[in-house]
Every structure is written in C-alpha cells, then in structure tokens.
Amino acid sequence: MEHFVVSARKYRPQTFKDVVGQQAITATLLNAIENNHLAQALLFTGPRGVGKTTCARILARKINQPGYDDPDEDFAFNVFELDAASNNSVDDIRNLIDQVRIPPQTGQYKVYIIDEVHMLSSAAFNAFLKTLEEPPRHAIFILATTEKHKIIPTILSRCQIFDFKRITVRDAREHLAEVARSQGIEFEEDALHIIAQKADGAMRDALSIFDRVVSYSGKNLTRQAVTENLNVLDYETYVRITDLLLANKIPELLVAYNDILAKGFDGHHFIAGLASHFRDLLVSKTPATLSLLEAGEQAQKLYAVQSLKAPHAFLMKAIELANDCDLKYKLSQNQRLLVELCLMQLASITFDGEKKKLTDL
C-alpha cells in the first residue's frame, strides 16, 4: 500500500509565487532580499494555516541561494525550528543563544524560526531581548504567532512585522481547483466553494477538508457529496426557506425547520446562516455590490433570481429580525421556540416593511 501524504504537506509551497493569498507580503520579502534590505528579526503574525511557517522556510532557503551552485539545496542544516509552545523556558532560549554564535558551514545565514512565540515565558522573552536586538551578522530570526497581542512591546519594537491575512474564499477555491486537477479529480465549482467557506480563511484547513471529502466521494466531487460529508446547510436550503417566507407559508416553514433540526443541525447556526443569506440577497440586487457576494456560479444565479422576488424593505426588516434572534439565542430558555417565532415574524412581513397578522395555524 502506497504511503498517503496529506495535501497540506504534499502541496506546501516551495517558492514565494506558490504561496496563496499573501501577494503583498511575498513581494515585500522578495524586494527586501533583492535590495539587501532584509531585517534580522521578523515577526510573522496572522490566523492559523495562512502560510506563516511556509513563508519562513521559503525565506530561509531563498537568502542562502545566491552564490550557491546547487539550486535544489534546501539548506536544512541552516534552518532551526523551535516550537515555543513546548520549549518556552529560559534554558531553552539560552541554548538557542549559544547556538546562534556559531556561523553556518554552508550558505550565508543561519535562520531561526520560533513558532508560537507568544508562548514564551516572561523570563525567556527577557533573556532573548539582547540577542534579538543585536544578532550576529549570519543570524536571522523569524518569529511566528497567531496572537501578536500577547508579545511584549520590547520584542515587537525589535522586529519588522508582517501581518498575514485570512485567505479569501476565491483564492482558496482556485487553489483547491489546481490541487483537484493535479489529482485527476472532477469537481463542481460549488463543491470547492463550500469547502473554501468551511475553512474560514485557513488554506491548511481547506486542504484537510478537501482530503476528507475526496476520501468520501472518490474522483467526482459534487456539491451534494460535500454538503453530506461536512453536514453543512447549503444555499439551496436557505433559498427554499426564503421562498416559503415570501409566500407567507408558516406551517410549511415550521415543518422545514423541524426537518433541519432532525438532521442534526444547530438552530443557532441556522438562524445566523439565514441572516447571512438575506445579506447576500441584498448585495445581489445591484451590480455595484455584486463583488461582495462570495458564492459559486450556480449559487449566484439562484441569488439573482430570488433577489428580484425579495423587496429591499423586506430584506432590511428580515436581517434585523434574524440578527435579533441570533443575539438572543444563547440566553433563551426555549431556543427552538425563539427560532420558530422569528420564522413566523419573518413570514408575516409585508412588502412595505410592516407586519401582517399571523396566519392561523
């Protein structure tokens, strides 16, 4: 049996141009290297799975390549990675400082990547200060963290800070499409879009979810397979619910909500998703805001059709009611009744924004 390598490792970028969604940072780092303007202490900060450690490794390889014969050399002996989550004591930092004094045997620089740097103890931070401010010429420090606010100001002031952003749904979807093609997997655009949305800005999470769904569905990735495997409420559910709301069909709405709960979905997740659906319908109404709609091609068509049926006044009132229900949900003693009441109120909005009388059930 052939050894399986997860996509997050198999497709880890090897050059700056392969890094997804961080063009501003990769361009800055490349310019800094070319112009010999690279600081010796860098801080990479941002959410998980967006490329901080990957960029640190690429940078370590890139700065050692000039004047070196072998283009495939990865300079593994020049790169030292320390996980501050488990090596956060003063002794760990002192051992690191002792190593820093020794120049590299190959290449020009030794690169020290300290992951989860916010986990260092106060004493470890203080022991690190002097070395970070005046490192030897051959040493470069790259600190990576998801929680910049936990790092003491004296460390921050000694670093050049790079803020990594969340990966957009579009960038994640395009990268997943490349991965799918390289594996010979047929896919629907909407299927990849749902995976990208579920990943919530983390490319690593998107690739992990992709592996899981491919294991479930094989070489043909459909929207239905993805929604079944991830157990997500897709846009078709919300389109159907909104059609019932616009038709003021309260009994059918309550039955539909009961079916959603029976499938194991959380009422809070449902009502938050419904509010987002109303927002998407609102931005679908005018070409000026259409770019704010992060949805697949098939979904965009459905939004365009339904946005014509739903008046602006209805959507504004609907967003207000759904958002109010979302805020009250956790404090409610009867959460199901709260959502059902919200659905009845939504179904009773007239198109001028006023309420109708609730239909007799």
Side-chain angles (χ1 to χ4, degrees), residues 13-33:
Q14 298 302 310
T15 63
F16 279 130
K17 71 175 182 352
D18 298 332
V19 177
V20 180
Q22 308 293 349
Q23 286 81 2
I25 288 173
T26 54
T28 305
L29 290 172
L30 274 171
N31 287 337
I33 294 166

Side-chain angles (χ1 to χ4, degrees), residues 78 99-110 112 136 138-139:
N78 292 41
Q99 283 183 29
V100 169
R101 298 192 184 107
I102 304 166
Q105 292 181 329
T106 57
Q108 288 181 279
Y109 296 98
K110 286 171 89 172
Y112 296 86
H138 61 261

Side-chain angles (χ1 to χ4, degrees), residues 30-292:
L30 274 171
N31 287 337
I33 294 166
E34 286 172 13
N35 299 322
N36 198 24
H37 224 260
L38 191 69
Q40 283 190 269
L42 310 170
L43 176 67
F44 291 176
T45 175
R48 69 181 195 284
V50 295
K52 298 186 295 297
T53 308
T54 295
C55 282
R57 289 175 182 172
I58 295 169
L59 180 66
R61 189 163 59 247
K62 186 84 177 167
I63 57 177
N64 278 307
Q65 277 174 346
Y68 206 77
D69 298 334
D70 184 3
D72 297 321
E73 173 64 61
D74 63 357
F75 299 96
F77 294 111
N78 292 41
V79 182
F80 301 87
E81 290 193 39
L82 180 78
D83 178 20
S86 51
N87 302 282
N88 54 12
S89 68
V90 177
D91 290 339
D92 293 316
I93 292 299
R94 282 180 182 152
N95 289 338
L96 181 74
I97 292 166
D98 289 340
Q99 283 183 29
V100 169
R101 298 192 184 107
I102 304 166
Q105 292 181 329
T106 57
Q108 288 181 279
Y109 296 98
K110 286 171 89 172
V111 180
Y112 296 86
I113 302 169
I114 304 179
D115 223 345
E116 303 299 341
V117 72
H118 65 273
M119 300 285 279
L120 288 178
S121 65
S122 297
F125 269 133
N126 290 327
F128 194 31
L129 280 174
K130 191 66 179 171
T131 305
L132 197 63
E133 189 171 27
E134 297 174 5
R137 290 183 64 180
H138 61 261
I140 286 182
F141 292 99
I142 304 175
L143 317 181
T145 180
T146 51
E147 301 185 52
K148 184 172 75 173
H149 61 278
K150 290 186 178 178
I151 299 175
I152 58 174
T154 44
I155 291 281
L156 291 176
S157 66
R158 287 164 168 79
C159 296
Q160 199 172 76
I161 300 171
F162 292 85
D163 285 297
F164 284 67
K165 62 180 183 178
R166 288 180 179 276
I167 310 296
T168 64
V169 173
R170 181 179 295 173
D171 285 344
R173 186 183 66 209
E174 287 173 1
H175 187 63
L176 288 173
E178 287 176 23
V179 171
R181 288 188 200 103
S182 71
Q183 294 184 11
I185 294 168
E186 291 184 15
F187 59 88
E188 292 178 6
E189 282 287 336
D190 284 347
L192 298 185
H193 189 86
I194 291 165
I195 294 171
Q197 278 186 317
K198 183 80 172 173
D200 194 27
M203 197 64 241
R204 185 172 60 225
D205 289 4
L207 289 166
S208 300
I209 296 167
F210 175 80
D211 282 347
R212 176 178 140 192
V213 176
V214 168
S215 299
Y216 172 76
S217 64
K219 292 286 185 181
N220 188 16
L221 209 59
T222 62
R223 182 184 60 79
Q224 188 179 354
V226 171
T227 52
E228 281 175 8
N229 185 254
L230 299 182
N231 201 29
V232 293
L233 283 168
D234 67 345
Y235 60 85
E236 280 195 350
T237 303
Y238 292 118
V239 166
R240 192 172 70 251
I241 292 289
T242 306
D243 280 338
L244 292 173
L245 290 171
L246 292 169
N248 308 110
K249 293 182 177 177
I250 290 175
E252 289 89 335
L253 269 170
L254 297 181
V255 171
Y257 179 55
N258 184 64
D259 291 343
I260 288 166
L261 293 178
K263 289 176 184 173
F265 292 105
D266 176 47
H268 199 182
H269 175 69
F270 165 74
I271 203 70
L274 189 60
S276 295
H277 179 72
F278 294 145
R279 175 261 183 199
D280 289 342
L281 289 176
L282 203 58
V283 300
S284 302
K285 277 190 165 294
T286 53
T289 54
L290 201 56
S291 60
L292 301 174

